[in-house]
Amino acid sequence: MTDKLINEYAETHEYLIVKGFHHHCKAAIMDAIEDGLIVKDPTRHLVLRGKRPGPKKIKYLRLLDLKRCWLNLLYTFMLL
């Protein structure tokens, strides 16, 4: 059941995200094992899959773009 859940999740998420999700599920399952609610670990021998990483987005301005933006602001306020 856990492998089905993680495999369905892996169809729409990248590998590292699936790996993090697996760790959260495994932690909850380990707590249940310690409390005696589950006898066997269903996440053992589970093969993780996931989508290939997509192209990364630029999350900040490059130095050249920052200079252009700064100059544009300077010229805009000087002309007003």
Side-chain angles (χ1 to χ4, degrees):
M1 180 155 155
T2 308
D3 57 343
K4 183 180 177 187
L5 173 71
I6 292 178
N7 286 335
E8 286 176 2
Y9 189 76
E11 291 175 3
T12 56
H13 294 83
E14 291 184 12
Y15 174 76
L16 289 175
I17 305 299
V18 174
K19 189 175 178 181
F21 180 67
H22 166 69
H23 287 300
H24 288 287
C25 290
K26 187 168 180 87
I29 289 171
M30 294 306 286
D31 287 342
I33 290 172
E34 286 179 10
D35 293 343
L37 301 173
I38 302 175
V39 178
K40 188 177 175 186
D41 182 5
T43 61
R44 188 163 184 237
H45 299 297
L46 185 65
V47 177
L48 298 178
R49 297 183 184 358
K51 289 174 46 176
R52 290 187 178 264
K56 300 298 177 196
K57 297 177 185 175
I58 297 175
K59 298 179 183 177
Y60 51 88
L61 289 176
R62 294 178 299 167
L63 183 59
L64 179 63
D65 294 332
L66 178 64
K67 287 179 181 178
R68 287 178 180 165
C69 183
W70 182 250
L71 288 173
N72 190 1
L73 283 171
L74 286 175
Y75 288 130
T76 301
F77 285 112
M78 284 183 182
L79 294 176
L80 292 177

